[in-house]
Amino acid sequence: MTDTDVRLQPKKKGLTRRQRRRLSRGVQYVVFVAAVIAIAVTADWGRLQNQFAQGAIARQMWPDVITLALKNTVLYTVSGFVLGLVLGLVIALMRLSSVGPYRWLAGIYIEVFRGLPALLIFVFIAVAVPLAFPGTEIPGGTYGKGALGLGLIGAAYMAETFRAGIQAVPKGQMEAARSLGFSPARAMVSIIIPQAFRIILPPLTNELIMLFKDSSLVLLLGVTLEERELSKFGRDLASTTANSTPILVAGLCYLLVTIPLGFVARRLEARAQEEIK
């Protein structure tokens, strides 16, 4: 077959790869718009507004929803995060230790507390601890119990985050510190851990968001009116008013904290990527 015959042959008809991508993207947009329209047309917005958007009920929640419920939620979260941070670092160092029993204990802790539902951990604190240690009170009352529950949950995840961050620090950093006369412990505290913190800031921010949401489980500890967090506060008012508006308001208060934290986490991730490049 000559070159002339090849040129005279009809070209195969079909879409190019770019055209197929555009067509696929267009179909996805059409499906999305159709789904939104279907939901907007079929939903009973009047009933939803009556059940979830009563302005008079929302105004009744002010300012206690901020000064009491949100404040308590933040207190539970921050105290649990600090405890989890300290405990997680200790467990991470045990996991990296050359001493076998330390590694085994750390591994067991991580597997158990990452595998158990957070609900069961709070039930254990509320029921099993008083039975196992009669007459013993956890310092801080409900706030202390809430911090302990959130700390135990967070430490299991933070330990693995710390371990990954420490291992991500170049080994030459430890060797350089040792050549300058630093002991292994001093080199770890002064050189390795600060660098690991910079690496793991984005995932730690995500852990903080997770604990902020898990703070709703504090209600299992039997909180008083002054110790209620957002979920308990919203549920109590929803039962009193026979309306779900308080639950929606509580959810919006969660978003007031989680959305900015999520933005911070994304910014930290982007900055870390830029530093790598």
Side-chain angles (χ1 to χ4, degrees):
M1 183 179 292
T2 64
D3 293 340
T4 304
D5 294 332
V6 172
R7 287 196 297 269
L8 292 176
Q9 282 184 344
K11 294 183 178 180
K12 294 182 180 180
K13 296 182 179 180
L15 298 175
T16 64
R17 181 177 300 177
R18 179 178 296 179
Q19 290 173 331
R20 288 197 297 270
R21 286 201 300 266
R22 288 179 177 176
L23 179 61
S24 174
R25 192 180 300 116
V27 171
Q28 293 176 37
Y29 283 135
V30 170
V31 172
F32 174 76
V33 171
V36 171
I37 293 174
I39 293 173
V41 171
T42 57
D44 191 338
W45 296 105
R47 294 184 63 184
L48 285 173
Q49 181 180 0
N50 183 61
Q51 185 64 25
F52 287 95
Q54 290 294 319
I57 296 177
R59 286 191 292 272
Q60 291 177 13
M61 301 175 65
W62 187 265
D64 288 347
V65 67
I66 301 296
T67 59
L68 177 68
L70 182 58
K71 181 200 72 174
N72 284 336
T73 301
V74 172
L75 284 176
Y76 291 131
T77 303
V78 171
S79 56
F81 181 78
V82 171
L83 177 61
L85 198 67
V86 175
L87 184 58
L89 177 58
V90 172
I91 294 172
L93 294 175
M94 291 174 63
R95 190 75 183 268
L96 295 171
S97 173
S98 58
V99 181
Y102 288 169
R103 294 197 307 273
W104 303 334
L105 287 173
I108 291 171
Y109 178 90
I110 291 171
E111 294 303 324
V112 168
F113 282 90
R114 285 202 308 178
L116 286 175
L119 177 70
L120 294 184
I121 295 174
F122 275 91
V123 171
F124 177 82
I125 293 174
V127 179
V129 171
L131 291 176
F133 305 98
T136 301
E137 289 290 336
I138 296 176
T142 303
Y143 292 101
K145 294 176 183 177
L148 177 61
L150 293 173
L152 291 175
I153 296 167
Y157 293 93
M158 293 184 204
E160 287 295 88
T161 303
F162 270 119
R163 182 179 64 83
I166 291 172
Q167 291 179 329
V169 177
K171 294 183 178 179
Q173 297 290 321
M174 175 62 79
E175 295 171 356
R178 295 284 290 150
S179 67
L180 293 174
F182 283 69
S183 66
R186 185 183 173 191
M188 179 65 71
V189 172
S190 303
I191 306 297
I192 305 301
I193 291 179
Q195 293 185 63
F197 260 106
R198 291 187 60 191
I199 296 172
I200 65 174
L201 271 179
L204 283 182
T205 306
N206 291 325
E207 293 294 337
L208 180 60
I209 294 173
M210 181 194 73
L211 290 181
F212 186 75
K213 294 184 294 182
D214 284 343
S215 65
S216 61
L217 296 174
V218 172
L219 63 89
L220 298 173
L221 301 176
V223 296
T224 65
L225 292 177
E226 296 300 319
E227 296 169 341
R228 290 178 297 174
E229 39 68 50
L230 280 171
S231 292
K232 176 66 172 172
F233 185 83
R235 288 181 59 186
D236 287 349
L237 284 180
S239 299
T240 303
T241 60
N243 190 275
S244 300
T245 299
I247 295 177
L248 176 63
V249 174
L252 293 176
C253 289
Y254 277 106
L255 294 178
L256 286 176
V257 176
T258 57
I259 289 178
L261 283 178
F263 176 78
V264 170
R266 289 190 296 272
R267 291 295 300 168
L268 291 173
E269 290 172 1
R271 182 178 296 181
Q273 291 294 329
E274 292 175 359
E275 291 178 355
I276 292 174
K277 294 178 181 180

